[in-house]
Amino acid sequence: MKLMAQLAMVMNLDKCIGCHTCSVTCKQAWTNRTGVEYAWFNNVETRPGQGYPRQYQDQQRWKGGWTLTKRGRLTLRSGSRFKRLLNIFANPDLPTVADYYEPWTYDYDNLLSAPAMDTTPVARPKSLITGEDTAVTWGANWDDDLGGGPQQVSRDPVLAKLSAQVKLEFEQTFMFYLPRICEHCLNPSCSASCPSGAVYKRSEDGIVLVDQDRCRGWRQCVTGCPYKKIYFNHKTGKAEKCTFCYPRVEVGIPTVCAETCVGRLRYIGVVFYDADAVLAAASVPDERDLYPAQLGVFLNPHDPRVVAEAERAGISQEWIEAAQVSPVYQLIVDYQVALPLHPEYRTMPMVWYVPPLSPVVDALAGTGHDGENADNLFGAIDALRIPVEYLAELFTAGDVGPVRAALRRLAAMRAHMRRVNLGEPVAPEIAESVRLTPTEIEAMYRLLAIAKYEHRYVIPSAAGADAHRLDALATGCSLDSDGSPGMTAFDVMDGKFHLTAHPSDTNGAAAPADKARRINLLNWDGKSTNGLFPAVPISNGPVSNGQISHGSATNGAEPVAERTR
């Protein structure tokens, strides 16, 4: 057994109101820069819907994630190493700007500086990529509040797998919101896809990051990620992704998206897992067994043997204590009401979701029945008054059993707490029907409904001292401004890419001193290989050339499936 710690997140979809506050604050913190105007590390999708980028869940088209060979061996869906090498300069499996959307702003200056005229001046939409007038036809949240509409029924890849009856029920019943960030997987296919080894998984907390110094802009990681949560910066020629706000979690505070969430639906905590068991769990033949297989990878932090192994692995007492009170572990393992997003991609995702139940209550109340009565709720779930098949395609590779079990526990919690709040006698049979005790039901209610800040975010701050040491060595995060290390490979002037010739150009981008590490693929002669691949392996140190590069450490744990091949 090789015990490792992972920071993970759970989102309670019953609480998401689709306000996009998380998306906006994440945008301001991480991608409010030239080159990534179209990128949203956090976005909120309406389900059913096409998603962002459009139809990203169609892996027959995008070739993301892992698949099993005929011999039962785990391999990238994008193909063998040789096939990926052939596509290294012209990858056919990449979303285009049209699939994401062409970002735009408005000509506000025309409103402010237009002279007096007979007609009212207008602010025409302008492309943030070309600067020219553009027609707004698509956006990252274009499907907002359109769940179940005729257009979505035909274009949602998940609905395409279901029967016409379920589609009709969905249209007549409800929609829900699905916030998404990088899954920070236990077996990340993005990392295995990267020819340069720039995408790595931090061994101390499991966060998946991109080393900006090593990235060569091959974009294989974009194809490899089935969730399409890695983006190409068209100014720097490098990849960028959600960082799980590592500068914040290193000092014990939650991610920006969690901190600013209006609905308080996000939970962050530590999970222990057996790294040696990940490959076997990701390689189970039946996709419907992937959810229970991943549950089997997690380790009980209360088990004395696990605690002893954690101490032998060098995990601090603060992390062990955080794992023992982790809200994420409780929702995933203890109560089993949180489920992974698309486990069939075999990446072992670590952002899980509590499926929505509220629309069931609303539908029941609309029929004149008591929407909080346990018998009515259980009957509504079993009678598919909500499309359990759709939720199963999202969270359990089509297996309706775990979804139905999670919804029944949520329904039992509502019915039990209603009796408590109304002063009625507690009915133990409600909790027993979902294999819980009344005490466990009430504990689950406190966590899901009224948990305070310190109970929703249990983040050990043991990395704080090391973070301060790294801060003393570096000028700042490589993604915070145009003049920092992550913004140096290319510069855009007059709409053209060119290699910066001097340490500092007119835009303030400081070029690396070692020119052998820089290559302009747009002007590449097809012969020289200098700069195409890193000259040295990933270092064990936390910094590269004195600068932090999209992560505070480069001690990357290679994905299990790739490392063992």
Side-chain angles (χ1 to χ4, degrees):
M1 178 175 68
K2 182 180 179 181
L3 186 146
M4 298 190 74
Q6 169 87 34
L7 277 175
M9 181 181 290
V10 168
M11 302 191 206
N12 184 359
L13 298 184
D14 251 348
K15 290 186 171 184
C16 185
I17 61 174
C19 66
H20 296 275
T21 303
C22 52
S23 300
V24 173
T25 51
C26 175
K27 185 73 174 174
Q28 292 297 321
W30 291 103
T31 60
N32 191 20
R33 295 169 287 107
T34 305
V36 282
E37 299 93 343
Y38 75 100
W40 296 83
F41 289 174
N42 182 108
N43 71 290
V44 181
E45 300 169 355
T46 298
R47 287 290 160 189
Q50 298 182 64
Y52 161 78
R54 273 191 268 204
Q55 298 182 320
Y56 73 92
Q57 296 158 298
D58 184 1
Q59 302 312 324
Q60 297 300 318
R61 176 184 180 188
W62 301 121
K63 306 294 191 297
W66 302 88
T67 187
L68 288 181
T69 65
K70 294 181 179 179
R71 297 182 179 180
R73 192 175 182 180
L74 206 60
T75 185
L76 290 171
R77 189 180 293 273
S78 56
S80 65
R81 293 181 181 180
F82 180 73
K83 180 181 179 182
R84 285 182 279 128
L85 182 62
L86 293 178
N87 294 336
I88 198 167
F89 294 112
N91 187 351
D93 303 317
L94 285 175
T96 65
V97 170
D99 293 309
Y100 290 102
Y101 78 103
E102 185 171 2
W104 73 89
T105 185
Y106 294 95
D107 187 8
Y108 296 109
D109 183 64
N110 187 51
L111 296 180
L112 300 175
S113 59
M117 58 180 69
D118 294 335
T119 59
T120 303
V122 297
R124 296 186 182 277
K126 299 280 186 179
S127 169
L128 285 174
I129 296 179
T130 66
E132 303 296 328
D133 289 346
T134 186
V136 178
T137 59
W138 181 255
N141 59 339
W142 203 258
D143 288 345
D144 255 10
D145 300 339
L146 297 178
Q151 291 182 333
Q152 310 314 318
V153 168
S154 61
R155 296 177 181 176
D156 186 326
V158 176
L159 277 178
K161 301 178 182 180
L162 304 179
S163 67
Q165 178 184 358
V166 173
K167 295 175 187 178
L168 183 61
E169 287 181 358
F170 223 125
E171 183 175 353
Q172 294 177 347
T173 309
F174 76 104
M175 65 180 190
F176 65 94
Y177 300 107
L178 181 71
R180 291 201 306 118
I181 64 172
C182 168
E183 297 287 330
H184 297 279
C185 307
L186 299 183
N187 185 36
S189 54
C190 58
S191 179
S193 302
C194 179
S196 301
V199 185
Y200 63 98
K201 187 173 180 66
R202 299 210 306 188
S203 57
E204 60 267 37
D205 53 19
I207 296 175
V208 178
L209 298 172
V210 180
D211 185 335
Q212 296 288 287
D213 285 334
R214 294 182 61 86
C215 180
R216 295 298 184 268
W218 300 121
R219 284 172 272 191
Q220 295 284 341
C221 57
V222 179
T223 298
C225 175
Y227 304 97
K228 293 297 173 278
K229 277 301 177 180
I230 296 189
Y231 305 91
F232 181 71
N233 186 318
H234 61 81
K235 177 175 181 180
T236 67
K238 295 178 181 290
E240 298 185 15
K241 64 177 295 297
C242 162
T243 66
F244 210 81
C245 289
Y246 72 87
R248 295 172 60 91
V249 299
E250 281 178 350
V251 294
I253 56 179
T255 61
V256 168
C257 59
E259 180 85 70
T260 59
C261 176
V262 173
R264 299 182 179 181
L265 61 97
R266 300 181 188 232
Y267 301 80
I268 299 176
V270 177
V271 175
F272 289 159
Y273 70 97
D274 182 3
D276 289 338
V278 171
L279 177 60
S283 304
V284 295
D286 190 344
E287 291 181 345
R288 297 191 175 194
D289 293 332
L290 285 165
Y291 163 64
Q294 186 169 357
L295 282 180
V297 170
F298 300 141
L299 301 174
N300 185 353
H302 302 283
D303 189 331
R305 295 170 297 179
V306 172
V307 173
E309 183 62 30
E311 292 172 347
R312 280 194 294 270
I315 296 177
S316 69
Q317 187 63 32
E318 184 178 6
W319 278 70
I320 295 174
E321 293 174 355
Q324 292 174 340
V325 295
S326 170
V328 171
Y329 182 84
Q330 294 175 43
L331 293 173
I332 292 176
V333 180
D334 290 343
Y335 305 130
Q336 294 189 10
V337 293
L339 304 169
L341 181 63
H342 289 300
E344 68 272 18
Y345 298 159
R346 299 182 183 270
T347 59
M348 302 282 115
M350 288 307 293
V351 176
W352 290 41
Y353 296 86
V354 178
L357 180 67
S358 292
V360 188
V361 179
D362 296 339
L364 280 172
T367 63
H369 293 84
D370 186 348
E372 299 290 350
N373 182 276
D375 293 334
N376 290 342
L377 279 172
F378 290 165
I381 294 170
D382 293 334
L384 295 182
R385 289 300 304 272
I386 64 170
V388 178
E389 291 96 340
Y390 185 88
L391 298 176
E393 289 291 342
L394 280 177
F395 301 124
T396 54
D399 186 3
V400 299
V403 176
R404 183 180 289 116
L407 293 176
R408 285 175 64 90
R409 287 195 168 189
L410 295 173
M413 180 189 72
R414 290 179 180 237
H416 175 88
M417 293 309 302
R418 182 197 186 189
R419 286 177 170 269
V420 172
N421 293 329
L422 293 179
E424 297 178 356
V426 173
E429 60 272 14
I430 295 178
E432 292 171 359
S433 66
V434 292
R435 293 179 296 145
L436 293 174
T437 66
T439 301
E440 289 174 326
I441 285 273
E442 293 175 17
M444 185 171 71
Y445 166 77
R446 286 193 296 271
L447 184 58
L448 286 173
I450 59 175
K452 294 184 178 180
Y453 185 95
E454 62 270 18
H455 298 142
R456 288 183 284 120
Y457 310 129
V458 182
I459 307 170
S461 58
D466 195 49
H468 292 306
R469 178 181 65 82
L470 294 173
D471 186 59
L473 294 173
T475 58
C477 172
S478 66
L479 301 179
D480 58 2
S481 66
D482 277 359
S484 46
M487 304 294 288
T488 58
F490 298 103
D491 185 31
V492 180
M493 297 182 67
D494 300 325
K496 298 180 180 179
F497 286 95
H498 70 277
L499 192 64
T500 51
H502 305 287
S504 181
D505 61 17
T506 55
N507 284 351
D514 183 5
K515 292 184 179 180
R517 292 170 48 242
R518 295 181 283 132
I519 186 70
N520 184 354
L521 296 179
L522 299 179
N523 296 336
W524 185 55
D525 60 8
K527 299 178 181 179
S528 173
T529 59
N530 292 334
L532 290 179
F533 299 96
V536 293
I538 299 178
S539 65
N540 290 326
V543 294
S544 176
N545 293 331
Q547 304 288 352
I548 296 178
S549 63
H550 208 164
S552 66
T554 54
N555 182 17
E558 197 174 342
V560 175
E562 185 72 3
R563 186 175 66 242
T564 55
R565 284 193 282 163

